[in-house]
Amino acid sequence: MASIITTGELTHVAIGDFHTEAGATLPNVTIAYQAWGNYTGDNLILVEHALTGDSNVAEWWADMLGPGKALDTNTYCIVCTNALGGCKGSTGPSSPDPTGTPWGSRFPALSVRDLVDVEKQFLSTLGITKVHAVLGGSMGGARALEWSLMHPTMLRGALVMAVSARASAWQIGIQTAQIDAIEQDPNWHGGDYYATEAPLRGLAAARRIAHLTYRGELEIDERFGTDPQQGENPLGTHRSSTQRFAVQSYLEHQGLKLTKRFDAGSYVTLTEALNRHDIGRGRGGLNKALGASTVPTMIAGVDTDILYPYHQQEHLSRNLGNLIAMAKISSPVGHDAFLTESRQVDRIIRRFLLLVNQEIEDDRLFLHHKEN
Amino acid sequence: MASIITTGELTHVAIGDFHTEAGATLPNVTIAYQAWGNYTGDNLILVEHALTGDSNVAEWWADMLGPGKALDTNTYCIVCTNALGGCKGSTGPSSPDPTGTPWGSRFPALSVRDLVDVEKQFLSTLGITKVHAVLGGSMGGARALEWSLMHPTMLRGALVMAVSARASAWQIGIQTAQIDAIEQDPNWHGGDYYATEAPLRGLAAARRIAHLTYRGELEIDERFGTDPQQGENPLGTHRSSTQRFAVQSYLEHQGLKLTKRFDAGSYVTLTEALNRHDIGRGRGGLNKALGASTVPTMIAGVDTDILYPYHQQEHLSRNLGNLIAMAKISSPVGHDAFLTESRQVDRIIRRFLLLVNQEIEDDRLFLHHKEN
């Protein structure tokens, strides 16, 4: 039996050298993970977190994970690794290289496929060869989708939420604007700032732009409208950065919050991985790649998502080789609804797991029938 | 007869001191304008340009302006002023104050109402008291809408395109991110950079963000997708700002282009005016302000606009006191479609002017009938 620690504690695993899709090598990679629920050998569900998310599913999807919940820890063993390139325990730009110096600018560029491959290598290290299901939203959805294409025989199902078959030019554009905001911070130093002050100002600016793509304009407008920030007057005779609209203060707060929990180098690395997301690369194009998919896959999207508009999930659904279901989350919240609309996401995950289990049962009956 | 020069040449008019809505005073304001078509006293159409637009309607709306075109210079006198706060001949942050020093940080904050008021003052200076119609898109639409509310008895009709009744929180958020990108440029110096190097890097970054709100994701994706920029490899072992996707190069080019024709201080001033756009301010709220409108008004929007989504134009239409028509521009282009979809905009302007002229005729017949 594989040696997986299911107490929910953050655990670090050394998985050896890792070779990236583009041809770089990262020596002595560590992957940090958390897991919950008893592992029985065929009940592992891999949850994939989003860009600045982490392995602590019990926190960011608190309504989903637990006994009797959609990700039922009485039935399943739920595993979530921290993405390679991040800053939550897995190797990233802020990690020391073999000489002890943080990688910084020498950290290689990653693709979504690299994030999947390194996770496969992590599972192999633990002795795990079968995954019941993989699921996630946004960058997590991109990884779930690549999992289903890269290692179809390891999986019985994939749930892909709020993502597309590849980065759109608009996404690359807005994501590059975020990277640029970080690069323009004088503290960035090309990524080699770990011995000096961090580019917090740039990271906050990047997050502010990103947040406006994560949230629907209806939701933000309902909350803030043109209200002034309390005690400030944004309509004075001269513009002033201390006299703000409420939404300005809110977005500055969102930016500041991120700087307290995330590293700018990791933000750039993982944003770049999203720029490189393209399931068609080397597979004869998007639709051929999707058509060749064999893993039972469910697609979900958000009706008001401007970052990954719903037509992108419709495109996935139309072209996937083994689509088992499609679901639309209806919400004013936009992209982030896969994190915030608990009731709808709960139903989606339950339906997905039911369908996957039905498929497994159907296959079993069919094989039994053939054998007789 | 008013002294209006209709040769299409850029003409400067000194209009005296101007008092802003917030209570500042700008001494000795100049407004620069261009005009085409013979002025007969009751045939003046005021065209309002967008944020970084200018008075040269013959250039940016070449398909609209001319003999026999929708803005028919055989029938109408078309006038367009350069916005106060801009950098195209009217007084702005780069203009000298009375001591000869550029205004810079001392230039007052403007509202959309200020842009309208100063235009009214400009017309008064020329001896013009009647406007046949006012029309524009985006910031031009905001000005056309405020014109119809501030000076209803001067107007016979307003065509308001691709704008809203007030800035949404999302708009304020994304516009503030642009202002921030400029302020973070070390060359900005609080706005007092006219004797030193201009914050071109920041202005380009602002434009890049803005451009992604002006263009629909479908259009950008159709043009660029995940293509690499010719001769560059954005998928190498390490990220590099010289190895780009085609869309990155395109957006950098858009940013660079703007720095060659627009001033950062003007960009900040006019963006801030859009942040302050709120027709409900001091009028008992949005819907009361709209309901009280008496000017025959046509509303147009773009189905794929993410900056001023179509539901905002539907809101205007539902609540305006004297709506004469509503039109939807269908285009993958997004917000900028009011500039690019010439055939549809041509029809909208023609229909608008027809309806305005019908209203005038109806009023004439009604009055004639009453008198007999």
Side-chain angles (χ1 to χ4, degrees):
Chain A
M1 183 63 73
S3 58
I4 184 160
I5 292 164
T6 58
T7 57
E9 279 169 283
L10 187 69
T11 307
H12 297 77
V13 180
I15 66 162
D17 296 356
F18 177 71
H19 306 287
T20 70
E21 183 188 358
T25 295
L26 261 174
N28 302 322
V29 166
T30 294
I31 293 294
Y33 75 99
Q34 288 173 264
W36 301 263
N38 206 28
Y39 178 60
T40 62
D42 63 353
N43 72 335
L44 192 147
I45 292 180
L46 206 49
V47 174
E48 305 284 348
H49 67 70
L51 181 69
T52 67
D54 59 32
S55 59
N56 200 0
V57 184
E59 190 184 84
W60 56 265
W61 248 0
D63 292 338
M64 301 303 132
L65 183 88
K69 294 188 182 168
L71 297 172
D72 190 346
T73 47
N74 289 334
T75 309
Y76 297 108
C77 174
I78 312 297
V79 176
C80 187
T81 69
N82 286 294
L84 180 72
C87 50
K88 302 292 182 176
S90 297
T91 301
S94 59
S95 305
D97 70 7
T99 74
T101 312
W103 282 102
S105 64
R106 294 165 301 118
F107 195 81
L110 301 177
S111 67
V112 171
R113 294 183 195 184
D114 290 326
L115 303 183
V116 169
D117 248 355
V118 82
E119 203 164 49
K120 161 87 161 49
Q121 193 168 321
F122 155 81
L123 291 177
S124 300
T125 306
L126 291 191
I128 293 166
T129 55
K130 275 184 184 310
V131 172
H132 182 72
V134 60
L135 60 97
S138 197
M139 190 181 89
R143 289 189 284 162
L145 183 62
E146 276 290 4
W147 254 109
S148 73
L149 297 169
M150 295 173 78
H151 308 293
T153 59
M154 280 182 71
L155 301 180
R156 288 159 167 177
L159 169 56
V160 174
M161 292 188 283
V163 79
S164 57
R166 64 160 168 78
S168 75
W170 196 92
Q171 286 156 6
I172 295 172
I174 202 80
Q175 286 160 186
T176 306
Q178 294 166 42
I179 292 174
D180 184 67
I182 293 172
E183 288 182 330
Q184 289 313 306
D185 189 316
N187 291 337
W188 171 245
H189 299 301
D192 296 313
Y193 57 83
Y194 294 104
T196 55
E197 222 176 313
L200 303 184
R201 191 75 194 58
L203 179 58
R207 179 65 163 189
R208 178 159 60 172
I209 298 167
H211 195 78
L212 289 163
T213 69
Y214 299 157
R215 293 285 162 152
E217 46 100 23
L218 290 172
E219 190 242 12
I220 290 189
D221 198 55
E222 270 169 26
R223 287 169 65 185
F224 303 105
T226 55
D227 293 348
Q229 176 65 5
Q230 204 174 11
E232 301 181 19
N233 173 22
L235 303 173
T237 58
H238 290 72
R239 196 177 54 82
S240 160
S241 57
T242 58
Q243 303 293 324
R244 301 165 299 173
F245 291 98
V247 68
Q248 279 180 265
S249 165
Y250 163 74
L251 290 168
E252 285 174 18
H253 177 69
Q254 293 298 323
L256 188 67
K257 248 171 58 181
L258 187 74
T259 64
K260 291 181 176 160
R261 68 173 180 85
F262 216 77
D263 170 52
S266 286
Y267 193 91
V268 167
T269 298
L270 294 177
T271 299
E272 171 70 10
L274 285 175
N275 282 349
R276 293 179 181 213
H277 174 47
D278 182 356
I279 64 138
R281 185 165 62 242
R283 294 180 182 134
L286 286 188
N287 293 351
K288 198 171 164 204
L290 287 172
S293 172
T294 56
V295 173
T297 303
M298 180 170 176
I299 300 293
V302 184
D303 56 357
T304 54
D305 192 338
I306 62 166
L307 184 57
Y308 291 95
Y310 193 71
H311 68 82
Q312 295 178 347
Q313 290 92 59
E314 289 177 322
H315 167 259
L316 286 171
S317 300
R318 275 198 307 279
N319 293 286
L320 263 171
N322 194 359
L323 181 78
I324 52 172
M326 169 81 177
K328 183 189 275 187
I329 299 169
S330 175
S331 169
V333 165
H335 183 64
D336 270 357
F338 78 92
L339 293 169
T340 64
E341 296 289 352
S342 296
R343 209 167 57 136
Q344 294 179 68
V345 175
D346 171 274
R347 285 187 196 169
I348 287 168
I349 295 175
R350 286 182 194 275
R351 184 163 163 230
F352 163 66
L353 291 173
L354 194 73
L355 289 170
V356 170
N357 289 329
Q358 270 175 3
E359 292 258 336
I360 293 168
E361 184 65 10
D362 286 354
D363 284 355
R364 202 186 58 75
L365 289 173
F366 177 72
L367 289 173
H368 183 71
H369 181 74
K370 274 218 306 197
E371 278 158 16
N372 290 347
Chain B
M1 185 61 75
S3 56
I4 185 159
I5 293 163
T6 59
T7 57
E9 281 168 281
L10 187 68
T11 307
H12 296 77
V13 179
I15 65 160
D17 297 355
F18 176 71
H19 306 287
T20 71
E21 183 188 357
T25 296
L26 263 173
N28 301 322
V29 166
T30 295
I31 293 293
Y33 75 99
Q34 288 173 265
W36 302 263
N38 206 26
Y39 178 60
T40 63
D42 63 355
N43 72 335
L44 191 148
I45 292 180
L46 206 49
V47 175
E48 305 283 346
H49 68 70
L51 182 69
T52 67
D54 58 32
S55 60
N56 201 359
V57 185
E59 190 184 84
W60 56 265
W61 249 1
D63 291 339
M64 300 303 133
L65 183 87
K69 294 188 181 168
L71 296 172
D72 190 346
T73 47
N74 288 334
T75 308
Y76 297 108
C77 174
I78 313 295
V79 176
C80 186
T81 69
N82 286 294
L84 180 71
C87 51
K88 302 292 182 177
S90 296
T91 302
S94 60
S95 305
D97 69 8
T99 73
T101 311
W103 281 103
S105 64
R106 294 166 300 120
F107 196 81
L110 301 177
S111 66
V112 171
R113 294 185 195 182
D114 289 327
L115 303 182
V116 168
D117 248 354
V118 81
E119 203 165 49
K120 159 88 159 50
Q121 192 168 321
F122 155 81
L123 291 177
S124 299
T125 306
L126 291 190
I128 293 166
T129 54
K130 274 185 186 307
V131 173
H132 182 72
V134 61
L135 60 97
S138 197
M139 189 180 88
R143 288 189 285 162
L145 183 61
E146 277 289 3
W147 254 109
S148 72
L149 297 170
M150 294 172 79
H151 308 293
T153 57
M154 279 182 72
L155 301 180
R156 286 158 166 177
L159 169 55
V160 174
M161 292 187 283
V163 80
S164 57
R166 63 159 168 81
S168 75
W170 196 93
Q171 286 157 6
I172 294 173
I174 202 79
Q175 286 160 186
T176 306
Q178 294 165 44
I179 291 174
D180 184 66
I182 293 172
E183 287 181 329
Q184 290 312 307
D185 189 315
N187 291 336
W188 170 246
H189 300 301
D192 296 311
Y193 57 84
Y194 293 104
T196 56
E197 223 175 310
L200 303 184
R201 190 77 195 55
L203 179 58
R207 180 62 164 192
R208 177 158 61 170
I209 299 168
H211 195 77
L212 289 163
T213 68
Y214 299 157
R215 292 284 163 155
E217 46 99 22
L218 290 172
E219 189 242 12
I220 290 190
D221 198 56
E222 269 169 28
R223 287 169 66 184
F224 303 105
T226 55
D227 294 348
Q229 176 64 5
Q230 206 174 8
E232 302 181 19
N233 173 22
L235 302 173
T237 58
H238 291 72
R239 198 177 53 81
S240 160
S241 57
T242 60
Q243 303 293 323
R244 299 165 300 173
F245 292 97
V247 67
Q248 279 180 265
S249 165
Y250 163 74
L251 290 170
E252 285 175 16
H253 177 69
Q254 293 298 324
L256 189 67
K257 249 172 59 182
L258 187 74
T259 64
K260 290 179 177 161
R261 68 174 180 85
F262 215 78
D263 170 53
S266 286
Y267 193 91
V268 168
T269 298
L270 294 177
T271 298
E272 171 70 11
L274 285 175
N275 282 349
R276 295 181 180 209
H277 173 48
D278 183 355
I279 63 138
R281 186 166 60 243
R283 292 178 184 138
L286 285 187
N287 292 351
K288 197 170 164 203
L290 288 171
S293 172
T294 55
V295 173
T297 303
M298 180 170 175
I299 300 294
V302 184
D303 56 355
T304 55
D305 191 338
I306 62 165
L307 185 57
Y308 291 95
Y310 193 70
H311 68 81
Q312 295 178 348
Q313 290 92 58
E314 289 177 323
H315 167 258
L316 286 171
S317 299
R318 275 199 307 280
N319 292 287
L320 264 170
N322 195 357
L323 181 79
I324 53 172
M326 169 80 176
K328 183 189 275 186
I329 299 170
S330 175
S331 168
V333 166
H335 183 65
D336 271 357
F338 79 91
L339 294 167
T340 65
E341 296 289 352
S342 295
R343 210 169 55 138
Q344 294 179 67
V345 175
D346 172 274
R347 284 186 197 170
I348 287 167
I349 295 175
R350 286 182 195 276
R351 183 160 162 233
F352 163 66
L353 292 173
L354 195 72
L355 288 170
V356 170
N357 289 328
Q358 272 176 1
E359 291 259 336
I360 294 167
E361 183 66 11
D362 287 352
D363 286 352
R364 201 186 60 74
L365 288 174
F366 177 72
L367 288 173
H368 183 70
H369 181 72
K370 276 220 306 199
E371 277 159 17
N372 289 345

